[in-house]
Amino acid sequence: MIKVPHYVASISPYVPGKPVEELERELGISNSVKLASNENPLGPSPKAVEAINSSVTASLNRYPDGGSYYLREALAKKLQVNDDTLIFGNGSNELLDIAVKTFMEPGDDAIMAWPSFVVYPMAVQAVGCNGIKVDLTSDMRHDLNAMADAVTDKTRMIFIANPNNPTGTINTINEFDEFMERVPKDIIIVVDEAYYEYATDSQYADSMKHLRVGRNLLILRTFSKAYGLAGLRIGYAITLPEIANELNKIREPFNTSTPAQAAALAALEDDEHIKNSVESNAAGRDYLYAELDKLGVKYIPTHANFIFMLPGVDAAALNNALLKRGVIIRPMGEKAIRATIGLEEENKTFIRALEESMEEVG
Ligand SMILES: Cc1ncc(COP(=O)(O)O)c(C=O)c1O
Protein backbone atom coordinates (compact mmCIF):
# COMPACT_ATOMS: atom_id res chain seq x y z
CA MET A 1 0.00 0.00 0.00
CA ILE A 2 1.28 3.46 -0.84
CA LYS A 3 0.11 6.21 1.46
CA VAL A 4 -1.13 9.27 -0.43
CA PRO A 5 -2.99 12.26 1.03
CA HIS A 6 -6.72 11.80 0.34
CA TYR A 7 -6.82 14.99 -1.71
CA VAL A 8 -4.06 13.69 -4.00
CA ALA A 9 -5.63 10.23 -4.26
CA SER A 10 -8.85 11.74 -5.60
CA ILE A 11 -7.22 13.77 -8.41
CA SER A 12 -7.92 12.49 -11.92
CA PRO A 13 -4.59 12.98 -13.63
CA TYR A 14 -4.29 14.91 -16.88
CA VAL A 15 -4.43 12.37 -19.68
CA PRO A 16 -1.82 13.25 -22.30
CA GLY A 17 -2.65 12.66 -25.96
CA LYS A 18 -0.57 10.04 -27.76
CA PRO A 19 2.33 11.23 -29.89
CA VAL A 20 1.01 12.07 -33.35
CA GLU A 21 3.30 9.46 -35.00
CA GLU A 22 1.90 6.70 -32.77
CA LEU A 23 -1.68 7.76 -33.41
CA GLU A 24 -1.06 7.76 -37.16
CA ARG A 25 0.45 4.27 -36.94
CA GLU A 26 -2.51 2.93 -34.94
CA LEU A 27 -5.11 4.50 -37.23
CA GLY A 28 -3.21 3.70 -40.41
CA ILE A 29 -3.28 7.36 -41.49
CA SER A 30 -0.64 9.91 -42.43
CA ASN A 31 -0.34 13.70 -42.67
CA SER A 32 -2.68 14.19 -39.75
CA VAL A 33 -3.63 17.68 -38.67
CA LYS A 34 -3.13 18.47 -34.97
CA LEU A 35 -5.64 21.03 -33.75
CA ALA A 36 -5.87 19.87 -30.14
CA SER A 37 -3.56 22.02 -28.03
CA ASN A 38 -3.88 25.63 -29.20
CA GLU A 39 -0.34 25.84 -30.50
CA ASN A 40 0.88 28.37 -33.07
CA PRO A 41 0.79 26.54 -36.43
CA LEU A 42 3.42 28.92 -37.84
CA GLY A 43 5.92 27.72 -35.26
CA PRO A 44 8.34 30.04 -33.45
CA SER A 45 10.22 33.02 -34.80
CA PRO A 46 13.29 31.96 -36.86
CA LYS A 47 15.25 34.24 -34.52
CA ALA A 48 14.17 32.10 -31.57
CA VAL A 49 15.23 28.93 -33.36
CA GLU A 50 18.65 30.44 -34.05
CA ALA A 51 18.98 31.44 -30.39
CA ILE A 52 18.07 27.93 -29.24
CA ASN A 53 20.75 26.42 -31.46
CA SER A 54 23.48 28.73 -30.20
CA SER A 55 22.45 28.30 -26.57
CA VAL A 56 22.60 24.54 -26.91
CA THR A 57 26.09 24.47 -28.39
CA ALA A 58 27.43 27.08 -25.98
CA SER A 59 26.39 25.99 -22.52
CA LEU A 60 24.44 22.80 -21.95
CA ASN A 61 26.92 21.59 -19.32
CA ARG A 62 26.12 24.67 -17.20
CA TYR A 63 23.00 25.29 -15.11
CA PRO A 64 20.71 27.95 -16.52
CA ASP A 65 20.65 31.48 -15.17
CA GLY A 66 18.33 31.09 -12.17
CA GLY A 67 17.39 34.77 -12.30
CA SER A 68 16.71 34.87 -16.08
CA TYR A 69 18.71 38.10 -16.09
CA TYR A 70 18.69 39.05 -19.79
CA LEU A 71 15.15 37.85 -20.44
CA ARG A 72 13.93 39.69 -17.35
CA GLU A 73 15.62 42.90 -18.45
CA ALA A 74 14.19 42.73 -21.96
CA LEU A 75 10.68 41.83 -20.83
CA ALA A 76 10.62 44.52 -18.13
CA LYS A 77 11.58 47.07 -20.78
CA LYS A 78 8.94 45.83 -23.21
CA LEU A 79 6.18 45.84 -20.57
CA GLN A 80 7.46 49.03 -18.91
CA VAL A 81 7.54 47.44 -15.48
CA ASN A 82 10.27 47.02 -12.89
CA ASP A 83 12.26 43.85 -13.19
CA ASP A 84 11.31 42.76 -9.66
CA THR A 85 7.66 42.43 -10.77
CA LEU A 86 8.45 39.48 -13.08
CA ILE A 87 8.80 35.79 -12.34
CA PHE A 88 9.43 33.07 -14.93
CA GLY A 89 8.08 29.53 -14.93
CA ASN A 90 8.44 26.21 -16.70
CA GLY A 91 5.37 27.22 -18.70
CA SER A 92 2.80 29.50 -17.06
CA ASN A 93 1.37 26.23 -15.76
CA GLU A 94 4.23 25.93 -13.27
CA LEU A 95 3.48 29.42 -11.97
CA LEU A 96 -0.09 28.30 -11.18
CA ASP A 97 1.31 25.49 -9.09
CA ILE A 98 3.84 27.75 -7.38
CA ALA A 99 1.07 30.26 -6.61
CA VAL A 100 -1.25 27.77 -4.92
CA LYS A 101 1.64 26.26 -2.94
CA THR A 102 2.70 29.73 -1.83
CA PHE A 103 -0.64 31.21 -0.85
CA MET A 104 -3.05 28.40 0.03
CA GLU A 105 -3.34 26.17 3.08
CA PRO A 106 -5.28 22.87 3.14
CA GLY A 107 -8.99 23.62 3.48
CA ASP A 108 -8.85 27.03 1.75
CA ASP A 109 -11.02 27.80 -1.27
CA ALA A 110 -10.15 29.07 -4.72
CA ILE A 111 -12.91 30.31 -7.01
CA MET A 112 -12.80 29.57 -10.71
CA ALA A 113 -15.19 29.70 -13.63
CA TRP A 114 -16.38 26.46 -15.23
CA PRO A 115 -15.65 25.28 -17.84
CA SER A 116 -12.23 26.86 -17.80
CA PHE A 117 -8.61 25.71 -17.86
CA VAL A 118 -8.57 22.14 -16.47
CA VAL A 119 -5.35 22.71 -14.53
CA TYR A 120 -6.89 25.16 -11.99
CA PRO A 121 -8.95 22.61 -10.01
CA MET A 122 -6.11 20.08 -10.17
CA ALA A 123 -3.53 22.54 -8.86
CA VAL A 124 -5.84 23.59 -6.03
CA GLN A 125 -6.74 20.03 -5.07
CA ALA A 126 -3.06 19.02 -5.07
CA VAL A 127 -2.50 21.27 -2.05
CA GLY A 128 -5.59 20.04 -0.19
CA CYS A 129 -7.79 23.00 -1.12
CA ASN A 130 -11.22 23.29 -2.71
CA GLY A 131 -11.93 24.55 -6.19
CA ILE A 132 -15.24 26.43 -6.10
CA LYS A 133 -16.61 26.33 -9.64
CA VAL A 134 -18.90 29.09 -10.89
CA ASP A 135 -20.80 28.44 -14.14
CA LEU A 136 -20.08 30.59 -17.17
CA THR A 137 -22.83 32.92 -18.39
CA SER A 138 -25.18 31.67 -21.14
CA ASP A 139 -22.85 33.28 -23.70
CA MET A 140 -19.97 31.25 -22.26
CA ARG A 141 -18.12 34.09 -20.51
CA HIS A 142 -16.87 34.33 -16.94
CA ASP A 143 -19.76 35.46 -14.75
CA LEU A 144 -17.66 37.91 -12.74
CA ASN A 145 -20.65 39.03 -10.66
CA ALA A 146 -21.42 35.47 -9.62
CA MET A 147 -17.73 34.90 -8.93
CA ALA A 148 -17.61 37.94 -6.66
CA ASP A 149 -20.81 36.71 -4.95
CA ALA A 150 -19.10 33.36 -4.28
CA VAL A 151 -16.36 34.94 -2.13
CA THR A 152 -16.35 33.82 1.52
CA ASP A 153 -13.90 33.99 4.43
CA LYS A 154 -12.27 30.85 3.08
CA THR A 155 -11.49 32.32 -0.36
CA ARG A 156 -7.76 32.83 -0.87
CA MET A 157 -7.50 32.95 -4.66
CA ILE A 158 -9.66 33.56 -7.73
CA PHE A 159 -8.69 32.34 -11.19
CA ILE A 160 -9.83 34.21 -14.26
CA ALA A 161 -8.80 32.99 -17.71
CA ASN A 162 -9.08 35.91 -20.08
CA PRO A 163 -9.48 34.82 -22.88
CA ASN A 164 -11.03 31.69 -21.44
CA ASN A 165 -9.96 28.24 -22.51
CA PRO A 166 -11.97 26.33 -23.85
CA THR A 167 -14.53 28.95 -24.92
CA GLY A 168 -12.27 31.70 -26.31
CA THR A 169 -14.43 34.37 -24.66
CA ILE A 170 -13.21 37.53 -22.92
CA ASN A 171 -14.32 39.77 -20.10
CA THR A 172 -14.45 43.47 -20.79
CA ILE A 173 -12.71 46.43 -19.17
CA ASN A 174 -15.88 47.51 -17.36
CA GLU A 175 -16.76 44.03 -16.14
CA PHE A 176 -13.29 43.48 -14.77
CA ASP A 177 -13.10 46.93 -13.16
CA GLU A 178 -16.42 46.34 -11.38
CA PHE A 179 -15.27 42.93 -10.25
CA MET A 180 -12.06 44.38 -8.81
CA GLU A 181 -14.13 46.93 -6.88
CA ARG A 182 -16.21 44.18 -5.31
CA VAL A 183 -13.51 41.67 -4.39
CA PRO A 184 -11.71 42.02 -1.03
CA LYS A 185 -8.20 43.36 -1.46
CA ASP A 186 -6.44 40.51 0.37
CA ILE A 187 -7.52 37.87 -2.15
CA ILE A 188 -4.98 36.93 -4.83
CA ILE A 189 -6.52 37.29 -8.27
CA VAL A 190 -4.81 35.19 -10.92
CA VAL A 191 -5.56 36.61 -14.34
CA ASP A 192 -4.46 33.99 -16.82
CA GLU A 193 -3.71 35.76 -20.09
CA ALA A 194 -2.15 32.82 -21.97
CA TYR A 195 -3.84 34.03 -25.19
CA TYR A 196 -3.18 37.73 -24.55
CA GLU A 197 -1.52 38.43 -27.92
CA TYR A 198 -4.58 37.19 -29.81
CA ALA A 199 -7.04 39.28 -27.78
CA THR A 200 -7.09 42.41 -29.92
CA ASP A 201 -10.62 43.57 -29.03
CA SER A 202 -10.64 47.16 -27.74
CA GLN A 203 -12.91 46.11 -24.86
CA TYR A 204 -10.48 43.46 -23.58
CA ALA A 205 -9.99 43.94 -19.82
CA ASP A 206 -6.90 45.86 -18.69
CA SER A 207 -5.51 43.86 -15.79
CA MET A 208 -2.21 45.80 -15.65
CA LYS A 209 -4.07 48.93 -14.59
CA HIS A 210 -5.08 47.24 -11.32
CA LEU A 211 -1.58 45.95 -10.71
CA ARG A 212 -0.21 49.48 -11.08
CA VAL A 213 -2.41 50.63 -8.18
CA GLY A 214 -1.15 47.84 -5.97
CA ARG A 215 -3.84 45.16 -6.15
CA ASN A 216 -2.87 41.55 -5.38
CA LEU A 217 -2.79 40.39 -8.97
CA LEU A 218 -0.82 37.66 -10.64
CA ILE A 219 -1.03 38.19 -14.40
CA LEU A 220 0.10 35.06 -16.22
CA ARG A 221 1.34 35.08 -19.79
CA THR A 222 3.25 32.55 -21.85
CA PHE A 223 5.63 31.94 -24.72
CA SER A 224 3.71 28.74 -25.56
CA LYS A 225 0.92 30.21 -27.63
CA ALA A 226 1.44 33.16 -30.01
CA TYR A 227 5.23 32.93 -29.56
CA GLY A 228 5.12 29.30 -30.72
CA LEU A 229 7.48 27.93 -28.07
CA ALA A 230 5.20 25.43 -26.28
CA GLY A 231 7.81 22.65 -26.46
CA LEU A 232 10.38 24.67 -24.51
CA ARG A 233 8.10 25.41 -21.54
CA ILE A 234 8.46 29.04 -20.56
CA GLY A 235 5.92 31.51 -19.25
CA TYR A 236 5.90 34.44 -16.86
CA ALA A 237 3.89 36.35 -14.30
CA ILE A 238 3.69 40.08 -13.80
CA THR A 239 2.86 40.84 -10.18
CA LEU A 240 3.70 42.97 -7.14
CA PRO A 241 7.34 42.71 -5.96
CA GLU A 242 6.04 41.45 -2.57
CA ILE A 243 4.14 38.64 -4.28
CA ALA A 244 7.11 37.77 -6.53
CA ASN A 245 9.26 37.61 -3.41
CA GLU A 246 6.96 35.03 -1.78
CA LEU A 247 6.65 32.99 -5.00
CA ASN A 248 10.44 32.89 -5.31
CA LYS A 249 10.63 31.04 -1.98
CA ILE A 250 8.76 28.13 -3.56
CA ARG A 251 10.17 28.35 -7.11
CA GLU A 252 12.82 25.80 -7.96
CA PRO A 253 16.07 27.75 -8.52
CA PHE A 254 16.69 26.56 -12.10
CA ASN A 255 13.12 26.15 -13.27
CA THR A 256 13.53 27.54 -16.80
CA SER A 257 16.13 26.05 -19.13
CA THR A 258 18.92 27.85 -20.96
CA PRO A 259 17.42 27.23 -24.44
CA ALA A 260 14.00 28.39 -23.20
CA GLN A 261 15.39 31.66 -21.85
CA ALA A 262 17.44 32.28 -24.99
CA ALA A 263 14.51 31.53 -27.30
CA ALA A 264 12.09 33.69 -25.32
CA LEU A 265 14.53 36.60 -25.38
CA ALA A 266 14.97 36.36 -29.16
CA ALA A 267 11.24 35.86 -29.69
CA LEU A 268 10.48 39.05 -27.75
CA GLU A 269 12.49 40.99 -30.30
CA ASP A 270 10.52 39.66 -33.26
CA ASP A 271 7.31 41.70 -33.23
CA GLU A 272 6.82 40.92 -36.89
CA HIS A 273 6.39 37.22 -36.14
CA ILE A 274 3.71 37.94 -33.54
CA LYS A 275 1.96 40.26 -35.97
CA ASN A 276 1.99 37.57 -38.68
CA SER A 277 0.81 34.94 -36.24
CA VAL A 278 -2.11 37.07 -35.05
CA GLU A 279 -3.05 38.00 -38.65
CA SER A 280 -2.84 34.41 -39.87
CA ASN A 281 -5.02 33.40 -36.92
CA ALA A 282 -7.60 36.08 -37.73
CA ALA A 283 -7.76 34.97 -41.39
CA GLY A 284 -8.17 31.32 -40.36
CA ARG A 285 -10.83 32.29 -37.83
CA ASP A 286 -12.88 34.18 -40.42
CA TYR A 287 -12.60 31.30 -42.90
CA LEU A 288 -13.74 28.82 -40.23
CA TYR A 289 -16.67 31.04 -39.16
CA ALA A 290 -17.89 31.20 -42.77
CA GLU A 291 -17.56 27.45 -43.29
CA LEU A 292 -19.15 26.58 -39.94
CA ASP A 293 -22.05 28.88 -40.81
CA LYS A 294 -22.49 26.99 -44.10
CA LEU A 295 -22.46 23.67 -42.24
CA GLY A 296 -24.89 25.01 -39.63
CA VAL A 297 -22.43 24.27 -36.80
CA LYS A 298 -22.90 26.57 -33.81
CA TYR A 299 -19.75 28.14 -32.37
CA ILE A 300 -18.75 30.76 -29.82
CA PRO A 301 -16.96 33.79 -31.36
CA THR A 302 -13.35 33.56 -30.23
CA HIS A 303 -10.70 35.99 -28.98
CA ALA A 304 -7.98 33.34 -29.04
CA ASN A 305 -6.45 30.80 -31.44
CA PHE A 306 -9.12 28.12 -31.07
CA ILE A 307 -12.87 27.82 -31.54
CA PHE A 308 -15.42 26.19 -29.22
CA MET A 309 -18.11 24.50 -31.29
CA LEU A 310 -21.47 22.96 -30.45
CA PRO A 311 -22.03 20.65 -33.42
CA GLY A 312 -25.28 19.13 -32.10
CA VAL A 313 -23.93 15.56 -32.22
CA ASP A 314 -22.15 13.36 -29.69
CA ALA A 315 -18.70 14.89 -29.16
CA ALA A 316 -16.88 11.58 -28.52
CA ALA A 317 -18.32 9.98 -31.66
CA LEU A 318 -17.48 13.09 -33.68
CA ASN A 319 -13.95 13.06 -32.27
CA ASN A 320 -13.48 9.43 -33.36
CA ALA A 321 -14.83 10.14 -36.82
CA LEU A 322 -12.47 13.13 -37.17
CA LEU A 323 -9.53 11.03 -35.94
CA LYS A 324 -10.19 8.42 -38.63
CA ARG A 325 -9.82 11.28 -41.10
CA GLY A 326 -6.56 12.40 -39.57
CA VAL A 327 -7.86 15.43 -37.66
CA ILE A 328 -7.03 15.70 -33.98
CA ILE A 329 -9.23 18.06 -31.96
CA ARG A 330 -10.36 18.09 -28.32
CA PRO A 331 -13.84 16.88 -27.32
CA MET A 332 -15.24 19.00 -24.50
CA GLY A 333 -17.82 17.09 -22.49
CA GLU A 334 -20.66 15.41 -24.36
CA LYS A 335 -21.75 18.15 -26.69
CA ALA A 336 -18.84 20.41 -27.57
CA ILE A 337 -15.49 20.29 -29.32
CA ARG A 338 -12.56 22.70 -29.34
CA ALA A 339 -10.34 23.04 -32.38
CA THR A 340 -7.23 25.16 -32.78
CA ILE A 341 -7.22 27.54 -35.73
CA GLY A 342 -4.62 26.10 -38.09
CA LEU A 343 -2.92 27.08 -41.32
CA GLU A 344 -5.09 27.54 -44.42
CA GLU A 345 -4.65 23.94 -45.63
CA GLU A 346 -5.20 22.53 -42.13
CA ASN A 347 -8.42 24.50 -41.73
CA LYS A 348 -9.65 23.22 -45.09
CA THR A 349 -8.84 19.65 -44.10
CA PHE A 350 -10.65 20.17 -40.81
CA ILE A 351 -13.79 21.50 -42.47
CA ARG A 352 -13.85 18.67 -45.05
CA ALA A 353 -13.41 16.11 -42.28
CA LEU A 354 -16.01 17.81 -40.08
CA GLU A 355 -18.62 17.75 -42.84
CA GLU A 356 -18.04 14.05 -43.51
CA SER A 357 -17.87 13.19 -39.82
CA MET A 358 -21.12 15.03 -39.01
CA GLU A 359 -22.85 13.02 -41.74
CA GLU A 360 -21.36 9.82 -40.36
CA VAL A 361 -22.36 10.33 -36.73
CA GLY A 362 -25.43 12.58 -37.14
C1 LIG B 1 -5.72 29.29 -20.19
C2 LIG B 1 -4.39 28.62 -20.20
N1 LIG B 1 -3.52 28.93 -19.23
C3 LIG B 1 -2.31 28.37 -19.16
C4 LIG B 1 -1.91 27.44 -20.09
C5 LIG B 1 -0.57 26.80 -19.91
O1 LIG B 1 0.34 27.26 -20.78
P1 LIG B 1 1.90 27.02 -20.59
O2 LIG B 1 2.11 26.22 -19.35
O3 LIG B 1 2.30 26.28 -21.82
O4 LIG B 1 2.48 28.39 -20.49
C6 LIG B 1 -2.77 27.07 -21.12
C7 LIG B 1 -2.36 26.05 -22.09
O5 LIG B 1 -3.13 25.48 -22.81
C8 LIG B 1 -4.05 27.67 -21.16
O6 LIG B 1 -4.93 27.35 -22.11
Side-chain angles (χ1 to χ4, degrees), residues 91-93 117 120 161 165 192 194-195 222 224-225 233-234:
S92 55
N93 199 137
F117 188 37
Y120 306 149
N165 174 10
D192 183 347
Y195 302 94
T222 184
S224 298
K225 303 299 178 186
R233 313 301 302 125
I234 184 156

Side-chain angles (χ1 to χ4, degrees), residues 33-35 39-42 280-281 283-285 288 305 339-348 350:
V33 173
K34 184 168 186 267
L35 303 174
E39 296 142 338
N40 181 345
L42 291 178
S280 157
N281 185 67
R285 176 197 63 204
L288 289 171
N305 66 341
T340 308
I341 299 169
L343 299 174
E344 194 177 336
E345 269 315 305
E346 295 174 324
N347 295 332
K348 283 186 181 157
F350 168 65

Side-chain angles (χ1 to χ4, degrees), residues 160-205:
I160 296 171
N162 198 28
N164 187 37
N165 174 10
T167 57
T169 47
I170 57 166
N171 288 97
T172 62
I173 301 172
N174 287 345
E175 285 168 347
F176 188 68
D177 290 355
E178 276 171 30
F179 169 79
M180 290 304 289
E181 291 246 320
R182 287 193 58 196
V183 172
K185 290 205 164 71
D186 61 333
I187 293 175
I188 309 259
I189 317 281
V190 177
V191 188
D192 183 347
E193 299 182 351
Y195 302 94
Y196 171 81
E197 293 78 10
Y198 294 109
T200 52
D201 193 295
S202 62
Q203 288 307 302
Y204 178 56

Side-chain angles (χ1 to χ4, degrees), residues 59-69 234 251-262:
S59 55
L60 270 198
N61 58 324
R62 306 289 177 199
Y63 281 98
D65 167 13
S68 308
Y69 182 87
I234 184 156
R251 181 180 68 87
E252 196 203 314
F254 302 114
N255 63 330
T256 61
S257 71
T258 304
Q261 290 182 31

Side-chain angles (χ1 to χ4, degrees), residues 86-206:
L86 298 175
I87 173 164
F88 296 90
N90 186 33
S92 55
N93 199 137
E94 189 200 21
L95 294 166
L96 287 167
D97 281 331
I98 294 176
V100 296
K101 277 191 201 159
T102 307
F103 293 110
M104 298 191 72
E105 286 180 44
D108 286 345
D109 289 349
I111 296 171
M112 58 198 67
W114 207 251
S116 188
F117 188 37
V118 289
V119 167
Y120 306 149
M122 292 169 76
V124 166
Q125 201 178 336
V127 292
C129 297
N130 313 305
I132 308 295
K133 294 176 173 170
V134 175
D135 287 344
L136 298 179
T137 59
S138 57
D139 56 355
M140 297 287 188
R141 296 166 345 100
H142 278 51
D143 189 340
L144 293 183
N145 268 324
M147 290 176 81
D149 288 342
V151 170
T152 68
D153 290 349
K154 285 171 72 188
T155 309
R156 293 294 301 127
M157 293 180 101
I158 303 179
F159 295 93
I160 296 171
N162 198 28
N164 187 37
N165 174 10
T167 57
T169 47
I170 57 166
N171 288 97
T172 62
I173 301 172
N174 287 345
E175 285 168 347
F176 188 68
D177 290 355
E178 276 171 30
F179 169 79
M180 290 304 289
E181 291 246 320
R182 287 193 58 196
V183 172
K185 290 205 164 71
D186 61 333
I187 293 175
I188 309 259
I189 317 281
V190 177
V191 188
D192 183 347
E193 299 182 351
Y195 302 94
Y196 171 81
E197 293 78 10
Y198 294 109
T200 52
D201 193 295
S202 62
Q203 288 307 302
Y204 178 56
D206 179 3

